Amino acid sequence: MNKLEQLRQRSLVVADTGDIEAIRRYRPHDATTNPSLLYKAAQLPQYQPYLVDALAWADRHRGERGRLAAMKLAVAIGAEILDIVPGVVSTEVDARLSFDTRATVEYARQLIHLYEQADIDRERVLIKVASTWEGITAASILEREGIHCNLTLLFSFCQAVACAEAGVTLISPFVGRILDWHKASSGRDFTAADDPGVASVQGIYQYYKSRGYDTVVMGASFRNTGEIEALAGCDRLTISPQLLQALEEDSGTLASGLPDRVAPEERPRQALTEAEFRYQLNADAMATEKLAEGIRNFVHDQEQLEQLLLQQAKERATSDAATNS
């Protein structure tokens, strides 16, 4: 077996892409999307009908046209993905709402409503929310309503603890972005054996499993296959098409990865107050910087996606006017 086949025997493989063709090729169990991936997908010719439908839907509803169209597009692509994968798709809340609990909850409810209008059960959707205190609080509310959440942009142990205590369905601790920060700050390279992003996920996984949390750990944001192999055995791993291809083309033996079993830990679970969470996050320079950067980047790509949709609408209106004149 190639390494991708070996990995499938140890972890659920998730495709980190909005590219339908890549998902068809690699047959992941689940798929994750975000504004960056949707923006890239929206520029491909095969997705143009989705853009037209999203704009037409936005025009029939009250609200900011670009934002509504982007929401509809995300659901349309998510629904298409769910025709291919047997599991779930993750769809992201607008990152501009990362510090607004109430608005995050309302946005998530709207996404689920659109999925249910498309005859897709909410059990097949994970709502992606940034792992801010406000986002975690919103996820706790949504989980009690039967809306399952994927807490993203997770870089620190305190974020992981707060997510588990909130009862979220799944977390996406980022590996590669942690590595990026440490490489930039230290000026040196790391192997998989001493990769700080890998170590972060290993610690979270150990803590969750030793204390019986149900929250799923899904390693994300990989820079190389060595990181993936070091985390083989993690509940789920969301992987880009490029790295899926690299694993598929490698016929070697997969690294041992995480242990198959974690012994129970007698020490109690942690429960953080808001003040403790904010202090611990602030004390972690890497997590503070990467969380802020991640939100900014997702906001940028969200705005680019909306501008792309509005530009498409403008060009179509100009074309229609020329045809009718």
Side-chain angles (χ1 to χ4, degrees):
M1 293 187 292
N2 60 49
K3 285 188 176 180
L4 180 56
E5 292 170 331
Q6 294 173 58
L7 183 64
R8 291 184 197 276
Q9 294 187 333
R10 300 202 58 200
S11 300
L12 281 181
V13 172
V14 180
D16 193 10
T17 181
D19 186 339
I20 300 296
E21 294 310 312
I23 293 170
R24 285 199 177 99
R25 175 179 174 183
Y26 292 108
R27 301 173 291 103
H29 188 273
D30 303 331
T32 59
T33 64
N34 61 44
S36 307
L37 297 174
L38 291 175
Y39 176 66
K40 292 176 183 177
Q43 298 175 73
L44 300 174
Q46 61 265 38
Y47 290 97
Q48 296 312 299
Y50 290 123
L51 273 66
V52 173
D53 289 345
L55 286 161
W57 179 85
D59 288 339
R60 296 194 299 270
H61 294 79
R62 296 179 60 184
E64 189 178 336
R65 190 186 194 196
R67 180 175 289 194
L68 287 174
M71 178 186 290
K72 180 65 173 178
L73 176 66
V75 172
I77 292 178
E80 182 77 6
I81 289 170
L82 287 173
D83 281 339
I84 304 169
V85 302
V88 301
V89 68
S90 291
T91 300
E92 191 140 351
V93 168
D94 187 336
R96 289 170 292 196
L97 307 179
S98 296
F99 301 99
D100 189 329
T101 295
R102 180 179 297 179
T104 294
V105 169
E106 288 303 319
Y107 196 99
R109 288 170 178 162
Q110 285 182 281
L111 285 173
I112 290 298
H113 178 66
L114 287 174
Y115 272 113
E116 291 179 337
Q117 283 187 324
D119 294 324
I120 293 170
D121 192 278
R122 63 177 59 190
E123 294 296 322
R124 299 201 66 201
V125 180
L126 292 177
I127 301 298
K128 286 182 76 176
V129 181
S131 299
T132 59
W133 179 262
E134 294 82 1
I136 297 169
T137 302
S140 178
I141 295 169
L142 292 166
E143 291 283 357
R144 292 196 294 270
E145 296 178 5
I147 298 174
H148 302 305
C149 298
N150 170 353
L151 272 291
T152 188
L153 294 177
L154 194 150
F155 302 98
S156 70
F157 186 72
C158 69
Q159 289 174 294
V161 168
C163 287
E165 287 295 313
V168 305
T169 297
L170 179 148
I171 62 167
S172 295
F174 279 30
V175 178
R177 297 194 198 188
I178 294 177
L179 173 64
D180 295 343
W181 189 92
H182 283 279
K183 286 176 68 174
S185 64
S186 68
R188 75 177 186 89
D189 290 326
F190 295 83
T191 66
D194 63 357
D195 187 309
V198 170
S200 176
V201 178
Q202 289 171 335
I204 291 167
Y205 183 86
Q206 171 74 26
Y207 179 77
Y208 275 23
K209 300 310 173 185
S210 66
R211 287 161 176 79
Y213 285 111
D214 293 328
T215 298
V216 173
V217 180
M218 181 171 74
S221 172
F222 293 107
R223 296 292 179 260
N224 54 68
T225 57
E227 292 178 323
I228 296 169
E229 291 193 56
L231 293 175
C234 193
D235 298 327
R236 303 184 195 190
L237 298 170
T238 181
I239 306 170
S240 69
Q242 294 82 0
L243 292 179
L244 287 170
Q245 180 178 350
L247 289 166
E248 187 178 57
E249 293 174 351
D250 191 337
S251 59
T253 300
L254 193 74
S256 57
L258 296 174
D260 293 332
R261 298 184 64 182
V262 176
E265 176 61 62
E266 293 182 0
R267 285 180 293 178
R269 296 177 174 185
Q270 297 184 37
L272 300 175
T273 64
E274 180 179 352
E276 290 169 336
F277 173 88
R278 293 192 185 280
Y279 179 80
Q280 290 184 25
L281 184 61
N282 182 74
D284 187 334
M286 176 278 297
T288 299
E289 292 173 23
K290 298 308 287 186
L291 174 60
E293 178 187 72
I295 291 171
R296 288 196 302 270
N297 289 343
F298 280 163
V299 167
H300 175 263
D301 288 335
Q302 177 77 23
E303 291 173 343
Q304 279 197 308
L305 176 61
E306 293 175 11
Q307 290 168 9
L308 178 67
L309 286 161
L310 294 175
Q311 182 62 31
Q312 167 114 357
K314 182 178 179 180
E315 291 173 358
R316 184 169 293 275
T318 301
S319 176
D320 290 345
T323 302
N324 295 328
S325 62

